[in-house]
Amino acid sequence: MSDPELYPVPSEWAQRARMTKAGYEAARVAAHERPDAFWSEQARRLDWFSPPTDIKDVSFDKADFHIRWFANGELNVAWNCLDRHLETRGDETAIIWEGDEPTQSGKLTYRELHAEVCRMANVLKGLGVAKGDRVTIYLPMIPAAAVAMLACARIGAIHSVVFGGFSPDSLAGRIEDCGSKVVITADEGLRGGKRVPLKANVDAALEKVSVDKVLIVSHTNAHIPIVEGRDVRYGEAKHGVDDDCPCEPMNAEDPLFILYTSGSTGKPKGVLHTTGGYLFWAAWTHELVFDYRPGEVFWCTADVGWVTGHSYCVYGPLANGATTLMFEGVPNYPDSSRFWQVVDKHRVEIFYTAPTALRALMREGDGPVKATSRESLRLLGTVGEPINPEAWRWYHEVVGEGRCPIVDTWWQTETGGVLVSPLPGATDLKPGSATKPLPGVELELVDADGTVLEGAASGNLVITDSWPGQMRTVWGDHQRFFDTYFSAYPGKYFTGDGCRRDEDGYYWITGRVDDVINVSGHRMGTAEVESALVLHDVVAEAAVVGFPHDIKGQGIYAYVTLNVGIEPSEELRRDLVAHVRKEIGPIAAPDVIQWAPGLPKTRSGKIMRRILRKIAENDVGALGDTSTLADPAVVDDLVRNRAGA
Ligand code: WTA
């Protein structure tokens, strides 16, 4: 009997896709058995100034820990994304920009983008930026964001993009950690009709840390104060600047960018990606997973402040000479048809978004979708969190009218690009499963003790060998890199995710097994939210856990113990939420705050989060063993006064 939940590869895909079932199996074997030959061949998709002969040089073992790919190759990322396309597709569109307001949009050809990147690169040089220097980019989703990233890559500077939704404090922490010389920002951003005061946030951040220069792109033309000697308006600085700028030759292992991401402990870590391995992985996976064809319009709705925006708005598509769409706005502004209107307006063929957006739109019913044509769509994708089968089916049936395969892509900031995903011409789909690993990706499931689980099983997801797009270090803290990812299961990379493998060898990611939560596809450390809460005068202690949320996937549930003598109130609750928004940014605002006279702790003082998670999930019948608690009565109180989540 056939599995009712299996969506076989449509026959037209089986015939014309880049990767068929047989091709996929052959590539998996080749990558496994002859990695040097396989990756050396694949890496020819990039333009190398000096092609690599050293291909893979990796050890995950503590004694000899190192990860290097293409290590004697030389290339430049901007060259690969721009210059090499000029002759063949200089007049084709590189970036379609769709603004927050439907009346605002624009296009840049590869030639125009090249000239603009050269100008910004020359301006940065003029500000004293040189190879290896760090540049923080704090911009809205406008072409200048891609221009700034590529301008850095062109001159060998390392960029650190900070999401425009982060607060001045978060921005300051990230500027300080990597020691940026320059910040590139805009006067303001626009999202859903609201203004985001980017330059004002930079000014506030720079009260805590300092940089040499702030380069300001004008977007809304809002009035902004200028700090003499520090602030430079890009519109003025670029006048008379040469629109050609040579590409700095970079070693494959030279850093390309740092991107901060949350872990289970401490401050966000600066994930470092390199020039050769990362660019290769972004480009290769963009073509393979999305079956990209020259001339097609590719739209990834992620913000460039996240890794998805790095790999699939900018680097992957541009390295492949694609037309990439950058959208500044939000899915429900001016109304819930917006995504699909944009698809029709620009005739988007491949559309890639997050399950949280789909769940929010699904709630509005089919009407806003059906009001549009969507006939240009041929492939759909999701990323960032598990997609529930109901949302998957809605995406497939209503948005894609049953015609478009869905690629549910699993990956992480650390992995540089997609690692587990269906290939539309090779993989039969199961709603809710990211299906199978790409060629060269060696997965295992292990139990808590590290015992390898065979066949159909559930456990922790580890990766036993390297792939070119793997992160190389945590900026400034190589030990933390090793400890975070390679110490739990020696010789293996630990993803932090739980996972089930079914009898067909399909992988089903079940979510994080550490203290990281995934709120609307945004990754957050519960420790970061706790630190923000305890900064408030009235808070003695705080513990934060995730709980299931219909739209966001997970919501933020905070248990707060107030200082002696402070009375809980509705006003105080609002105050604390506002405080976290201010400290980290709106994405970290707790959905629920429960006043906790005490937190469940072991006798050694460790908070038992397992219990807090159960209470937040309203699964209070299954609290498990509470006998090791210092004061079991605390739990009864928390259950009795559970906030109506
Ligand atoms: C989760 C985003 C299920 C996972 C690219 C991972 C997913 C974390 C999927 C990384 C998916 C990402 N199915 N879960 N298709 N994609 N995740 O670093 O928990 O922001 O560890 O990278 O998101 O989030 P990050």
Side-chain angles (χ1 to χ4, degrees):
M1 203 185 87
S2 69
D3 186 341
E5 280 286 274
L6 198 70
Y7 291 68
V9 174
S11 62
E12 64 280 15
W13 280 84
Q15 280 154 27
R16 74 178 281 262
R18 287 182 178 281
M19 189 68 104
T20 58
K21 282 189 182 178
Y24 169 71
E25 293 304 333
R28 274 200 61 76
V29 171
H32 184 74
E33 292 180 356
R34 298 176 299 280
D36 279 5
F38 181 80
W39 295 119
S40 148
E41 171 70 26
Q42 299 300 327
R44 288 199 201 146
R45 66 165 34 259
L46 298 184
D47 225 11
W48 299 85
F49 299 148
S50 171
T53 50
D54 294 348
I55 305 301
K56 179 184 177 196
D57 177 13
V58 175
S59 164
F60 285 177
D61 290 333
K62 190 169 188 174
D64 180 31
F65 180 64
H66 66 277
I67 302 168
R68 286 191 283 270
W69 283 89
F70 314 123
N72 63 349
E74 262 190 16
L75 74 167
N76 180 283
V77 165
W79 175 277
N80 274 278
C81 292
L82 303 168
D83 304 55
R84 67 158 163 166
H85 303 313
L86 293 183
E87 208 173 301
T88 46
R89 48 173 67 96
D91 298 318
E92 288 175 22
T93 304
I95 298 179
I96 299 175
W97 175 69
E98 173 74 18
D100 189 48
E101 294 294 337
T103 51
Q104 303 172 321
S105 56
K107 287 181 182 177
L108 278 176
T109 64
Y110 271 94
R111 204 175 308 286
E112 290 163 339
L113 183 60
H114 174 265
E116 196 54 31
V117 166
C118 286
R119 276 190 287 266
M120 189 168 304
N122 282 326
V123 167
L124 288 173
K125 277 187 180 173
L127 297 179
V129 178
K131 180 173 177 173
D133 287 344
R134 276 78 61 209
V135 172
T136 293
I137 298 174
Y138 187 64
L139 283 169
M141 279 294 279
I142 56 177
V147 170
M149 292 162 79
L150 290 162
C152 289
R154 195 165 190 93
I155 62 174
I158 305 169
H159 63 68
S160 160
V161 182
V162 177
F163 174 56
F166 277 122
S167 68
D169 275 356
S170 298
L171 175 62
R174 286 158 169 79
I175 291 172
E176 186 171 39
D177 185 81
C178 68
S180 285
K181 241 184 180 169
V182 168
V183 178
I184 306 175
T185 191
D187 42 13
E188 291 178 327
L190 292 170
R191 272 176 75 79
K194 297 196 190 81
R195 289 163 185 271
V196 186
L198 295 172
K199 171 60 166 62
N201 288 351
V202 170
D203 289 340
L206 294 183
E207 284 171 15
K208 306 200 162 162
V209 293
S210 76
V211 295
D212 293 351
K213 299 285 176 191
V214 176
L215 187 62
I216 307 144
V217 175
S218 55
H219 179 42
T220 63
N221 296 317
H223 175 76
I224 47 164
I226 291 290
V227 177
E228 285 302 324
R230 186 196 74 185
D231 295 355
V232 176
R233 286 187 184 271
Y234 179 60
E236 292 166 14
K238 77 175 182 184
H239 268 304
V241 164
D242 200 350
D243 62 4
D244 198 8
C245 169
C247 286
E248 188 74 33
M250 304 294 283
N251 181 272
E253 283 294 311
D254 281 338
L256 174 64
F257 67 82
I258 300 165
L259 181 58
Y260 287 86
T261 193
S262 299
S264 36
T265 55
K267 287 191 300 182
K269 327 179 249 295
V271 167
L272 186 125
H273 280 290
T274 55
T275 302
Y278 169 82
L279 185 69
F280 165 74
W281 198 259
W284 187 66
T285 54
H286 172 256
E287 185 179 275
L288 198 67
V289 171
F290 300 104
D291 192 64
Y292 184 79
R293 310 285 167 144
E296 287 184 332
V297 178
F298 178 85
W299 181 14
C300 163
T301 68
D303 191 284
V304 288
W306 310 109
V307 74
T308 309
H310 281 62
S311 302
Y312 301 109
C313 288
V314 180
Y315 289 120
L318 296 179
N320 290 338
T323 300
T324 183
L325 193 150
M326 284 180 87
F327 175 44
E328 188 185 11
V330 296
N332 59 357
Y333 178 82
D335 60 53
S336 308
S337 276
R338 187 71 193 278
F339 270 177
W340 325 120
Q341 287 159 0
V342 174
V343 165
D344 285 352
K345 177 171 171 186
H346 300 293
R347 305 217 45 89
V348 172
E349 267 110 352
I350 306 169
F351 178 75
Y352 187 37
T353 196
T356 185
L358 296 171
R359 287 191 298 264
L361 293 174
M362 194 170 126
R363 205 174 51 168
E364 306 294 322
D366 300 355
V369 187
K370 294 204 161 137
T372 62
S373 145
R374 288 155 288 109
E375 64 178 1
S376 57
L377 288 175
R378 74 176 189 98
L379 182 68
L380 303 171
T382 68
V383 59
E385 44 172 331
I387 180 164
N388 45 315
E390 195 193 357
W392 194 100
R393 283 186 222 107
W394 184 79
Y395 199 23
H396 189 258
E397 275 145 44
V398 180
V399 176
E401 295 180 342
R403 160 181 93 239
C404 308
I406 296 177
V407 289
D408 172 355
T409 64
W410 176 87
W411 58 294
Q412 309 179 298
T413 306
E414 294 87 339
T415 71
V418 175
L419 293 194
V420 185
S421 171
L423 301 180
T427 321
D428 301 331
L429 307 174
K430 295 188 187 187
S433 170
T435 75
K436 299 205 172 186
L438 300 192
V441 175
E442 309 287 348
L443 304 180
E444 255 178 27
L445 298 182
V446 294
D447 69 11
D449 305 324
T451 306
V452 178
L453 308 170
E454 306 288 348
S458 287
N460 291 341
L461 183 67
V462 297
I463 309 175
T464 59
D465 202 350
S466 185
W467 63 98
Q470 182 167 28
M471 74 182 279
R472 297 297 195 269
T473 192
V474 170
W475 178 261
D477 198 347
H478 198 55
Q479 188 61 41
R480 187 171 174 201
F481 176 49
F482 181 85
D483 292 346
T484 307
Y485 303 102
F486 301 92
S487 64
Y489 303 105
K492 298 170 186 179
Y493 168 86
F494 177 40
T495 62
D497 278 333
C499 183
R500 177 170 73 84
R501 185 175 48 219
D502 70 16
E503 47 294 333
D504 298 324
Y506 275 50
Y507 289 83
W508 302 72
I509 306 292
T510 48
R512 301 290 302 199
V513 294
D514 52 11
D515 291 319
V516 171
I517 51 180
N518 194 328
V519 183
S520 301
H522 297 150
R523 196 171 143 173
M524 204 138 14
T526 51
E528 285 169 68
V529 185
E530 289 164 5
S531 311
L533 282 166
V534 296
L535 278 179
H536 196 287
D537 301 340
V538 302
V539 177
E541 199 168 26
V544 168
V545 296
F547 72 99
H549 187 287
D550 284 350
I551 304 289
K552 300 180 181 183
Q554 278 187 299
I556 302 179
Y557 196 113
Y559 298 86
V560 172
T561 308
L562 295 171
N563 283 326
V564 177
I566 306 287
E567 281 303 312
S569 68
E570 192 46 34
E571 195 188 340
L572 188 53
R573 202 190 63 80
R574 277 198 298 272
D575 194 31
L576 287 182
V577 173
H579 168 77
V580 176
R581 290 175 72 97
K582 185 183 136 298
E583 287 294 327
I584 305 178
I587 57 172
D591 297 279
V592 180
I593 290 183
Q594 175 168 355
W595 308 115
L599 293 170
K601 291 185 188 166
T602 60
R603 287 187 196 95
S604 59
K606 198 168 162 327
I607 295 175
M608 288 189 77
R609 291 167 179 285
R610 179 178 57 81
I611 292 176
L612 294 178
R613 267 186 227 115
K614 292 279 182 203
I615 297 172
E617 286 164 12
N618 204 9
D619 189 10
V620 293
L623 291 181
D625 184 10
T626 54
S627 63
T628 56
L629 288 176
D631 178 9
V634 164
V635 176
D636 299 333
D637 178 85
L638 291 180
V639 170
R640 227 181 3 257
N641 296 309
R642 192 181 164 276

